[in-house]
Each structure stands twice: as C-alpha cells, then as structure tokens.
Amino acid sequence: MTSSPTSSGSYDLVVVGSGIAGLYAALQAREHGARVLVVTKGSIEEASTRYAQGGIAAAVGPEDSPEDHLRDTIEAGAGLVDEEAARILVFEAADRIADLVRYGVRFDSSNGAVSLGREAAHSAARIIHAGGDATGLEIELSLSALAQREATILEHTFADRIIVEDGRAVGIATINGDTGARARYDATNVILATGGAGQMYRTTTNPVVSTGDGVALAYECGAEVMDMEFTQFHPTALVLPGRPVFLISEAVRGEGALLYSTDGVRFMEHAHPLAELAPRDVVARATYAEMARTGSDHVLLDITAKDADWLAARFPQICAQCMDAGLDMSKDRIPVSPAAHYTMGGVRTNTWGETTIAGLFAVGETANTGVHGANRLASNSLLETVVFAKRTVERLFEPGTYDPPPARTEGALSLLPAAGNHTAPTAQQVRDLMWDKVGIVRTGEGLRAAAIQLAQWMAWLPEAHDRTSHDLHAILVCARLATEAALRREESRGAHYREDFPETVEAWRRHLVFRQTNIAALEGANDTDEKERWREHAG
Ligand code: FAD
Ligand code: SIN
C-alpha cells in the first residue's frame, strides 16, 4: 500500500464528489461557516446528476400526500425498505425542494403552480421537473455555480483512499488524474458523495465517472456495504451502435407512451395491471423476455399519439437526441432496451449519513440509507440525496452526537477459489461478464462462474496508480460485492431475479452486508487472499 504524502491542506469537511449530493452538502456546510473542500474526479459538472431527466418526487400536489408517497415507496421496494428512513424521505421532501429553489434551481410551472409529471408505480402525479426533461442539468449547473463561489473545488482529482487513524476517518489521499500527482487532505469529517456503480455493466445510462468509488473506498477502510445485489435496470434506453447510451425517460410513459415488441405485441398489457407504468423491475424483465422471444435487441416505445410541438416542449432533450439519431418521436416508434441505471446497494448509513466508521459519512447514490429496498421508486433518488445530505450536515455540526449504526457483523463468508490461470482483466471484460452473468436475469451457475472469475481477476490486479487502473479497481470491488451477494440471495426480490429461485421467500426479507475485516493488518500487507476475507451480516 502506498504511504500518504504530507498534507496539502486541512479542512473542516472534505466532500468527495460534485453531483447533487456532494454540492448540496458542501453548500449546507458553508451555511454553518465550515471550511469545505470538494474533490471531484472529472470537471465539476460531470456526474449522473446532470443527466437526470424525469425529476424529483415530492407529494406537493393537491390530491397527494406524503403518506401516499410513503406507501408507493414501500410497495416498490419489495419488502426491504427501511420504513423510518422512507418516512423521513417523503415528509422532508417539500423543505428540501425549497432549499434547491433557494440555491437557484428553476422548476417548471404552469399558471403559477409547479408542474407535476407522472412516473411508474407512483399513485399520483408528483414528479417536479425542470427544463422539461433537463431536471438534472438545471440542478447541476445551479449548484455548481454557487459551490464555486462558496467552497474550494479540486477538479480532475480522485480520492483513492480514506485515511483512517485510530478507527476514525481523518482525511483522504488523492491522485490528480492529469498529472498523477499524489496529495493528502486532512479533515475533521469526510463525506463520500461519489454516485453509483453503473459502469460495472456493459450497457448503462450512467456517465464514465460512475465506477462505484465510494463503495470501494468505504469497503476498503472497513465500513459496511449493504444490498449490493440490487442494481436497477431501466427498461427504456436508446442503445444504438456508435452512439452513447441515452435514457428515454419514464416520464415519456407517464405521458402515455406504449411499449410494443418488434412483432407488434403490446406486451405490458399482459404483464402487469399497471401495464407500462408497472414498477421498473417488472417492465425491465418483461422487455428482456420480449427481446428473447422475438430474437431482437430492442422493443419499441410509441408516443406518436402526441404531436411534434407538444413533444418538443415537454421533452426537448429526448426529442433532440432522437432527431439526431434519425428518429422523429411524433412519427417513429423508438427502439429501446434495458440498461443498468441505479445502484440500490451502497455504503450502509443511518438516517444521519453516518457510516460504521467515525468521521466518515455517505450521501446520495453511494449511500444505502434503506429508502429504496430492493427496487427504487422512480425519482426518489434525487430526493434522497438532498434529504439525507441535509441531515448529515446537521449531524456534523452537532458536536458529540456521533451515533453510528450498530454493526451487523455475523459469520464469515466462505472464500471463493482464487486459483487458476490468472491474468489482469480490462474494464470491458468485467463489464461484459457482469452484463452476461449478473444482469436482469441471473442463475446460480452463472453467478458462481462470475464470482470465481472476478476473484481470479482481483488476485491479479496490479495496484491502482492512475485514473484508468483506479476505475478498474473500484468496478471490480463493486462487481465482486454485487455478485457474491446475488449468489447468496437464493430467491427473487425486486431488481434481483434468479431463474433458479423465481419466488420471493419471506426468510430472505433481510439484508446482506459486507465488511472487509482485519483492516489494521492490511495496512502495508500485500496478501490478496487476506483482502478477500469478507464477512456476511444478516439485517
Ligand atoms: P453523482 O451525480 O453521480 O455524482 C458523483 C460525483 O462523484 C461525480 O462528480 C463524480 O465525478 C464524483 N466521483 C466519483 N468517484 C470519485 C472519486 N474517487 N474521487 C472524486 N470524485 C469522485 N434520479 C431521479 O431521482 N430522477 C431522475 O429523473 C433521474 N434520472 C436519471 C437519468 C440518468 C440518465 C441517470 C444516469 C440517473 C438518473 N437518476 C434520476 C438517478 C440520479 O441522477 C442519481 O442517483 C443522482 O444524481 C446521484 O447523485 P450523486 O450526487 O449521489 O452522484
Ligand atoms: C427517468 O427519467 O426515467 C429516470 C427517473 C429515475 O431514474 O428516477
């Protein structure tokens, strides 16, 4: 393990990541007068946040209530939602939207009232949006403009280690992605806000920065990681050769778009009572099944009932992307297929953002607060980032309140063999393996083969020294956690579907939590097998 260089600076708070979670937390901390450093892997605006389309869920409509929002969230989460956390999520929603407005975010309105869209598995129209389908861009640009005035921002720099001394996080070690220069930043507290791990899959809506770094960093400094078997696949991505994967928002189905197989069957009619607005995991699996049945690499999304002007006003980004690909949404059915979209699993926190390591907090997609369970309800993610970032910062500035979630350690995970013909993998090999064997439909045989392959690759991975090798390392750690958890969960629930265990099993209404053990002994150790000693916890 590389030793830390001498300190390059000392802050009250170091935030890793500059999406909505990191920037909102930084701005909140500045309101407490804290000295804040934000470290981010790419440019400040590069984050999943800027690509968010549909919007933010909040029960603010006249016919709606937080209780209804809570019920929908719990229902979508397939038995694993933490009800206390979800209650906080829905009841604090309106105040956090007000914070975003205060920070300059302009949400769409009509006749003086906020415009509300509809998305799958919501019992009411409750999706607040901006610029039609440019919600994330509006948020990212507003918060980053403000944060650049308020905090110290270090771009193109990634955290490659959390520095833990005497059981407490005291800073981060970083590498500059352009120059390779290493630095160390000391901090009273560290917040991980690094987003999801969609890049562990071949086909994903996530940007290149979404390599699961927060999970890998936290796991490797001894924090608990939970629910990694649950990756959400979005059913409607535009996946065309030579073009980046582009999301076609669920809000399009919310406005009446229908799904057809390539031989003309409106398959969701038969798959679920809510048809196209069924929970996301249901639509993704039905889409996958139709693609297999027809032998096609896509199904078709039809919104041609709406005219061109209406579509251009409501979905300007999506219309423009489709047009650029030669598709006129008002005339053509759009070819769509599933893509890895959201990481439900993450660094285990309580409802104050605290991890199981003192001084280390996690917010946003990298955290697991328990609100999403086995399947996130659409547009609850942006909401989760701000609701729990607010509480995290409150906790930081209440001295003496550290009250971490109790550890859930329980038993040791059997080691998977790391023998065989070893070579270091490429990121593409990992992504292909994950897509093929740990994707929408899983089998024990496929998961076991993937777990063994990943263990072998991990054993031969050279130490990360630059952005490429660092990203690969993070992807591989997340892939192993996801695969091992998926192999252990012998049932189907939410986004995790096992062909060999297709039923949901009550005894499995619990969480899988991993923690790397014997961290102190690992400092300076090179024993890869030792690093593979994972422990399973039941929650
Ligand atoms: P991100 O926005 O991903 O930010 C993570 C940041 O961490 C980035 O700046 C990254 O560069 C940085 N980073 C990562 N690793 C490191 C490291 N090692 N060192 C330093 N910096 C690092 N959710 C909704 O609720 N509604 C929607 O409509 C919606 N639409 C979506 C559409 C798309 C196409 C995608 C991809 C996601 C969508 N989501 C939506 C999900 C939502 O956008 C994300 O969950 C949310 O933006 C996550 O915010 P975040 O701040 O946690 O992470
Ligand atoms: C979408 O607009 O379909 C994405 C919404 C989400 O991921 O919450």
Side-chain angles (χ1 to χ4, degrees):
M1 186 167 291
T2 315
S3 61
S4 301
T6 51
S7 180
S8 301
S10 181
Y11 294 84
D12 299 319
L13 175 64
V14 166
V15 178
V16 186
S18 62
I20 181 174
L23 295 178
Y24 176 90
L27 290 170
Q28 287 284 316
R30 286 294 300 132
E31 291 188 12
H32 289 267
R35 290 167 304 129
V36 180
L37 172 70
V38 177
V39 175
T40 190
K41 195 150 85 163
S43 68
I44 186 170
E45 295 104 1
E46 189 53 355
S48 271
T49 300
R50 73 170 290 155
Y51 303 98
Q53 295 181 359
I56 307 190
V60 295
E63 308 286 301
D64 203 2
S65 73
E67 287 292 351
D68 287 352
H69 189 182
L70 177 64
R71 202 185 48 247
D72 294 344
T73 300
I74 290 172
E75 178 75 17
L80 287 187
V81 168
D82 178 324
E83 188 168 338
E84 184 203 340
R87 187 168 285 281
I88 290 167
L89 177 82
V90 298
F91 277 89
E92 296 186 7
D95 288 344
R96 298 297 73 82
I97 303 285
D99 288 344
L100 290 175
V101 171
R102 188 161 57 83
Y103 287 154
V105 179
R106 294 155 303 167
F107 290 108
D108 295 335
S109 60
S110 162
N111 300 323
V114 67
S115 303
L116 297 172
R118 178 135 204 176
E119 285 181 1
H122 284 275
S123 58
R126 63 166 74 98
I127 315 301
I128 299 174
H129 46 84
D133 58 5
T135 312
L137 190 62
E138 169 68 14
I139 292 173
E140 187 65 33
L141 296 185
S142 305
L143 299 192
S144 60
L146 204 51
Q148 285 176 97
R149 296 203 291 275
E150 289 290 332
T152 306
I153 313 281
L154 212 52
E155 295 179 292
H156 306 288
T157 301
F158 57 89
D160 82 326
R161 190 155 62 92
I162 309 294
I163 301 166
V164 177
E165 288 174 2
D166 299 326
R168 185 182 172 89
V170 294
I172 59 169
T174 64
I175 300 181
N176 181 298
D178 297 331
T179 64
R182 289 178 183 270
R184 168 189 167 133
Y185 296 92
D186 299 319
T188 312
N189 292 292
V190 174
I191 294 183
L192 290 172
T194 53
Q199 284 293 331
M200 66 178 158
Y201 286 97
R202 178 167 68 219
T203 306
T204 179
T205 61
N206 290 190
V208 292
V209 291
S210 302
T211 46
D213 298 23
V215 167
L217 290 165
Y219 175 71
E220 292 191 329
C221 78
E224 289 187 346
V225 170
M226 185 160 100
D227 289 344
M228 285 300 287
E229 65 273 39
F230 298 111
T231 291
Q232 183 169 74
F233 294 84
H234 198 296
T236 59
L238 182 66
V239 185
L240 296 175
R243 300 179 65 88
V245 174
F246 182 77
L247 182 75
I248 307 292
S249 175
E250 201 161 85
V252 178
R253 273 175 286 137
E255 296 288 359
L258 303 177
L259 281 165
Y260 293 91
S261 55
T262 45
D263 60 0
V265 178
R266 194 182 147 212
F267 57 91
M268 282 313 300
E269 230 178 4
H270 315 292
H272 193 276
L274 292 172
E276 278 79 3
L277 292 181
R280 200 168 273 180
D281 60 315
V282 176
V283 184
R285 268 194 304 280
T287 301
Y288 179 88
E290 280 305 291
M291 287 163 50
R293 184 183 66 74
T294 57
S296 175
D297 62 1
H298 63 273
V299 297
L300 296 162
L301 185 70
D302 188 337
I303 184 87
T304 55
K306 300 282 188 191
D307 71 40
D309 289 346
W310 186 92
L311 285 166
R314 177 66 181 89
F315 299 117
Q317 293 198 124
I318 300 172
C319 277
Q321 279 286 336
C322 285
M323 207 51 100
D324 196 48
L327 296 160
D328 178 345
M329 289 173 79
S330 69
K331 296 196 179 81
D332 302 318
R333 289 181 172 180
I334 310 158
V336 290
S337 56
H341 181 64
Y342 186 82
T343 312
M344 263 83 72
V347 185
R348 181 170 165 249
T349 69
N350 62 11
T351 58
W352 299 98
E354 290 166 315
T355 71
T356 45
I357 299 287
L360 182 66
F361 296 76
V363 294
E365 192 169 335
T366 197
N368 184 309
T369 60
V371 297
H372 305 308
N375 184 36
R376 175 179 65 98
L377 186 65
S379 288
N380 266 358
S381 169
L382 291 172
L383 179 60
E384 180 197 29
T385 64
V386 286
V387 166
F388 291 97
K390 170 79 178 179
R391 295 169 65 85
T392 299
V393 173
E394 274 176 17
R395 180 52 54 106
L396 287 181
F397 294 98
E398 284 171 55
T401 54
Y402 177 62
D403 181 21
R408 286 182 172 174
T409 308
E410 201 190 76
L413 182 67
S414 55
L415 292 183
L416 284 160
N421 186 13
H422 297 312
T423 46
T426 63
Q428 194 56 46
Q429 281 178 299
V430 179
R431 292 182 183 123
D432 286 344
L433 181 76
M434 291 299 286
W435 185 259
D436 294 339
K437 304 256 191 274
V438 197
I440 298 170
V441 174
R442 302 158 176 192
T443 65
E445 199 188 343
L447 290 169
R448 175 155 285 277
I452 292 169
Q453 179 65 82
L454 291 164
Q456 290 177 346
W457 279 337
M458 184 59 113
W460 279 77
L461 202 64
E463 192 177 337
H465 60 282
D466 60 7
R467 169 82 186 267
T468 305
S469 55
H470 166 88
D471 286 356
L472 173 57
H473 176 86
I475 287 172
L476 201 45
V477 171
C478 291
R480 292 204 65 194
L481 291 165
T483 306
E484 292 268 341
L487 181 59
R488 292 185 151 251
R489 185 173 285 282
E490 294 188 333
E491 64 154 357
S492 292
R493 182 184 294 275
H496 168 72
Y497 184 81
R498 290 271 304 250
E499 220 165 41
D500 46 349
F501 294 99
E503 304 300 327
T504 302
V505 177
E506 183 54 25
W508 269 108
R509 192 137 80 85
R510 60 193 181 91
H511 301 277
L512 286 167
V513 184
F514 292 95
R515 181 172 70 86
Q516 184 169 264
T517 55
N518 200 8
I519 297 300
L522 286 176
E523 296 289 330
N526 231 347
D527 180 351
T528 314
D529 280 346
E530 180 67 17
K531 289 183 184 169
E532 299 317 321
R533 243 165 240 155
W534 295 354
R535 299 179 90 184
E536 183 201 2
H537 319 242

